[in-house]
Coordinates of all heavy atoms in Angstrom, one line a residue:
S52 N 1.0 -6.6 -6.3 CA 2.3 -5.8 -6.2 C 2.5 -5.3 -7.6 O 2.8 -6.1 -8.6 CB 3.4 -6.7 -5.8 OG 4.6 -6.0 -5.8
L53 N 2.3 -4.0 -7.8 CA 2.2 -3.4 -9.1 C 3.3 -2.4 -9.3 O 3.7 -1.7 -8.3 CB 0.9 -2.8 -9.4 CG -0.4 -3.7 -9.1 CD1 -1.6 -2.8 -9.4 CD2 -0.4 -4.9 -10.0
V54 N 3.8 -2.2 -10.5 CA 4.8 -1.2 -10.9 C 4.3 -0.4 -12.1 O 3.5 -0.9 -12.9 CB 6.2 -1.9 -11.1 CG1 6.7 -2.6 -9.9 CG2 6.1 -2.8 -12.4
T55 N 4.9 0.8 -12.2 CA 4.9 1.5 -13.4 C 6.3 1.7 -13.9 O 7.3 1.7 -13.1 CB 4.3 3.0 -13.2 OG1 5.2 3.6 -12.3 CG2 2.9 2.9 -12.8
T56 N 6.5 1.7 -15.2 CA 7.8 1.9 -15.8 C 7.8 3.0 -16.7 O 6.8 3.4 -17.3 CB 8.3 0.6 -16.5 OG1 7.3 0.3 -17.5 CG2 8.4 -0.6 -15.5
G57 N 9.0 3.6 -16.9 CA 9.2 4.7 -17.8 C 9.6 4.2 -19.2 O 9.6 3.0 -19.4
P58 N 9.8 5.1 -20.1 CA 10.1 4.8 -21.5 C 11.4 3.9 -21.6 O 11.5 3.1 -22.5 CB 10.3 6.1 -22.2 CG 9.8 7.1 -21.3 CD 9.7 6.6 -19.9
D59 N 12.3 4.0 -20.6 CA 13.5 3.2 -20.6 C 13.3 1.9 -19.8 O 14.3 1.2 -19.6 CB 14.6 4.0 -20.1 CG 14.4 4.4 -18.6 OD1 13.3 4.2 -18.1 OD2 15.3 5.0 -18.0
R60 N 12.0 1.6 -19.4 CA 11.7 0.4 -18.7 C 12.2 0.4 -17.3 O 12.2 -0.6 -16.6 CB 12.1 -0.8 -19.4 CG 11.3 -0.9 -20.8 CD 11.5 -2.3 -21.4 NE 10.7 -2.2 -22.6 CZ 10.8 -3.1 -23.6 NH1 11.6 -4.1 -23.4 NH2 10.1 -3.0 -24.7
T61 N 12.6 1.5 -16.8 CA 13.0 1.7 -15.4 C 11.8 1.7 -14.5 O 10.8 2.4 -14.9 CB 13.8 3.0 -15.2 OG1 15.0 2.9 -16.0 CG2 14.2 3.2 -13.8
V62 N 11.8 1.1 -13.4 CA 10.7 1.1 -12.5 C 10.6 2.5 -11.9 O 11.5 3.0 -11.3 CB 10.8 0.0 -11.4 CG1 9.6 0.2 -10.4 CG2 10.8 -1.4 -12.0
D63 N 9.5 3.2 -12.1 CA 9.3 4.5 -11.6 C 8.4 4.6 -10.3 O 8.5 5.5 -9.6 CB 8.6 5.4 -12.7 CG 9.5 5.8 -13.8 OD1 10.8 5.8 -13.6 OD2 9.0 6.1 -14.9
G64 N 7.5 3.6 -10.2 CA 6.6 3.6 -9.0 C 6.3 2.1 -8.6 O 6.3 1.2 -9.5
H65 N 5.9 2.0 -7.4 CA 5.5 0.6 -6.9 C 4.4 0.8 -5.8 O 4.4 1.8 -5.0 CB 6.7 -0.1 -6.2 CG 6.4 -1.4 -5.6 ND1 6.3 -1.5 -4.2 CD2 6.0 -2.5 -6.1 CE1 6.0 -2.8 -3.9 NE2 5.8 -3.4 -5.1
I66 N 3.5 -0.1 -5.8 CA 2.4 -0.2 -4.8 C 2.2 -1.7 -4.5 O 2.3 -2.5 -5.3 CB 1.1 0.5 -5.3 CG1 0.1 0.7 -4.2 CG2 0.5 -0.3 -6.5 CD1 -1.1 1.6 -4.6
V67 N 1.8 -1.9 -3.2 CA 1.5 -3.3 -2.8 C 0.4 -3.3 -1.8 O 0.3 -2.4 -1.0 CB 2.8 -4.0 -2.3 CG1 3.3 -3.4 -1.0 CG2 2.5 -5.5 -2.1
C68 N -0.5 -4.3 -1.9 CA -1.5 -4.7 -0.9 C -1.1 -6.0 -0.4 O -0.8 -6.9 -1.2 CB -2.9 -4.7 -1.5 SG -3.6 -3.1 -1.7
T69 N -1.2 -6.2 0.9 CA -0.9 -7.5 1.4 C -2.1 -8.0 2.3 O -2.9 -7.1 2.7 CB 0.4 -7.5 2.3 OG1 0.4 -6.4 3.2 CG2 1.6 -7.4 1.3
R70 N -2.1 -9.2 2.7 CA -3.1 -9.8 3.5 C -3.1 -9.1 4.9 O -2.1 -9.0 5.5 CB -3.0 -11.3 3.6 CG -4.0 -12.0 4.5 CD -5.5 -11.8 4.0 NE -5.6 -12.3 2.6 CZ -6.4 -11.7 1.7 NH1 -7.0 -10.6 2.0 NH2 -6.5 -12.2 0.5
A71 N -4.3 -8.8 5.3 CA -4.5 -8.2 6.6 C -5.8 -8.7 7.1 O -6.5 -9.5 6.4 CB -4.5 -6.7 6.5
W72 N -6.3 -8.3 8.3 CA -7.5 -8.8 8.9 C -8.2 -7.7 9.6 O -7.6 -6.8 10.2 CB -7.2 -9.9 9.8 CG -6.5 -11.1 9.2 CD1 -7.2 -12.2 8.6 CD2 -5.1 -11.2 8.9 NE1 -6.2 -13.0 8.0 CE2 -5.0 -12.5 8.2 CE3 -4.0 -10.5 9.1 CZ2 -3.7 -12.9 7.8 CZ3 -2.8 -10.9 8.7 CH2 -2.7 -12.1 8.0
V73 N -9.5 -7.8 9.6 CA -10.4 -7.0 10.5 C -11.1 -8.1 11.3 O -11.9 -8.9 10.7 CB -11.4 -6.1 9.8 CG1 -12.4 -5.5 10.8 CG2 -10.7 -5.0 9.0
G74 N -10.7 -8.2 12.6 CA -11.2 -9.4 13.3 C -10.8 -10.7 12.6 O -9.6 -10.8 12.2
P75 N -11.7 -11.6 12.4 CA -11.3 -12.8 11.7 C -11.4 -12.7 10.1 O -11.1 -13.7 9.4 CB -12.3 -13.8 12.2 CG -13.6 -13.0 12.5 CD -13.0 -11.7 12.9
V76 N -11.8 -11.6 9.6 CA -12.1 -11.4 8.2 C -10.8 -11.0 7.4 O -10.2 -10.0 7.8 CB -13.3 -10.4 8.0 CG1 -13.5 -10.3 6.5 CG2 -14.5 -10.9 8.7
A77 N -10.5 -11.7 6.4 CA -9.4 -11.4 5.5 C -9.7 -10.1 4.7 O -10.7 -10.1 4.0 CB -9.0 -12.5 4.6
V78 N -8.8 -9.1 4.8 CA -8.9 -7.9 4.1 C -7.5 -7.5 3.5 O -6.7 -8.4 3.6 CB -9.5 -6.7 4.9 CG1 -10.9 -7.1 5.4 CG2 -8.6 -6.4 6.1
L79 N -7.4 -6.3 3.1 CA -6.1 -5.9 2.6 C -5.5 -4.7 3.3 O -6.3 -3.8 3.7 CB -6.2 -5.5 1.1 CG -6.6 -6.7 0.1 CD1 -6.8 -6.1 -1.3 CD2 -5.5 -7.8 0.1
G80 N -4.2 -4.7 3.5 CA -3.5 -3.5 3.9 C -2.7 -2.9 2.8 O -2.0 -3.7 2.0
L81 N -2.8 -1.7 2.5 CA -2.2 -1.0 1.4 C -0.9 -0.3 1.8 O -0.9 0.4 2.8 CB -3.1 0.0 0.8 CG -2.7 0.6 -0.6 CD1 -3.9 1.0 -1.4 CD2 -1.8 1.8 -0.4
G82 N 0.2 -0.6 1.1 CA 1.4 0.1 1.3 C 2.6 -0.8 1.6 O 2.4 -2.0 1.9
P83 N 3.7 -0.3 1.3 CA 4.0 1.0 0.9 C 3.7 1.3 -0.5 O 3.6 0.4 -1.4 CB 5.6 1.1 1.1 CG 6.0 -0.1 1.9 CD 4.9 -1.1 1.7
V84 N 3.5 2.6 -0.8 CA 3.4 3.2 -2.2 C 4.5 4.1 -2.3 O 4.8 5.0 -1.5 CB 2.1 4.0 -2.3 CG1 1.9 4.5 -3.7 CG2 0.9 3.1 -1.9
G85 N 5.3 3.9 -3.4 CA 6.4 4.8 -3.6 C 6.6 5.2 -5.1 O 6.3 4.4 -6.0
V86 N 7.0 6.4 -5.3 CA 7.4 6.9 -6.7 C 8.7 7.5 -6.6 O 9.0 8.3 -5.6 CB 6.3 7.9 -7.1 CG1 6.7 8.5 -8.5 CG2 4.9 7.3 -7.2
R87 N 9.6 7.3 -7.5 CA 10.9 7.9 -7.5 C 10.8 9.4 -7.3 O 9.9 10.0 -8.0 CB 11.6 7.7 -8.9 CG 12.2 6.3 -9.1 CD 12.8 6.3 -10.5 NE 13.2 5.0 -10.8 CZ 14.5 4.5 -10.7 NH1 15.4 5.4 -10.3 NH2 14.8 3.3 -11.0
A88 N 11.6 10.0 -6.5 CA 11.5 11.4 -6.2 C 11.4 12.3 -7.4 O 10.6 13.2 -7.5 CB 12.6 11.8 -5.3
E89 N 12.2 12.0 -8.4 CA 12.3 12.9 -9.6 C 11.1 12.7 -10.5 O 10.9 13.4 -11.5 CB 13.6 12.6 -10.4 CG 13.7 11.3 -11.0 CD 14.3 10.2 -10.1 OE1 14.4 10.4 -8.9 OE2 14.6 9.1 -10.7
R90 N 10.2 11.7 -10.2 CA 9.0 11.4 -11.1 C 7.7 11.7 -10.3 O 6.7 11.6 -10.9 CB 9.0 9.9 -11.5 CG 10.2 9.5 -12.3 CD 10.2 9.9 -13.8 NE 9.1 9.1 -14.4 CZ 8.4 9.5 -15.4 NH1 8.6 10.7 -15.9 NH2 7.5 8.7 -15.9
Q91 N 7.9 12.2 -9.1 CA 6.7 12.5 -8.3 C 5.9 13.7 -8.9 O 6.5 14.6 -9.6 CB 7.0 12.8 -6.9 CG 7.5 11.5 -6.2 CD 8.0 11.7 -4.8 OE1 7.9 12.8 -4.2 NE2 8.4 10.7 -4.1
G92 N 4.6 13.8 -8.7 CA 3.8 14.9 -9.2 C 3.4 14.7 -10.6 O 2.9 15.7 -11.2
R93 N 3.5 13.5 -11.2 CA 3.1 13.3 -12.6 C 2.0 12.3 -12.7 O 1.7 11.8 -13.8 CB 4.3 12.7 -13.3 CG 5.5 13.7 -13.4 CD 6.6 13.2 -14.1 NE 7.8 14.1 -14.0 CZ 8.9 14.0 -14.7 NH1 9.1 13.0 -15.5 NH2 9.9 14.9 -14.5
G94 N 1.3 12.0 -11.6 CA 0.1 11.1 -11.6 C 0.5 9.6 -11.5 O -0.4 8.8 -11.6

Side-chain angles (χ1 to χ4, degrees):
S52 180
L53 308 177
V54 298
T55 59
T56 56
D59 61 355
R60 298 192 179 165
T61 299
V62 177
D63 287 337
H65 175 251
I66 193 168
V67 63
C68 283
T69 51
R70 179 59 59 219
W72 298 266
V73 172
V76 179
V78 299
L79 297 173
L81 191 151
V84 180
V86 175
R87 285 179 186 259
E89 68 273 13
R90 302 279 291 148
Q91 292 176 1
R93 299 180 186 185

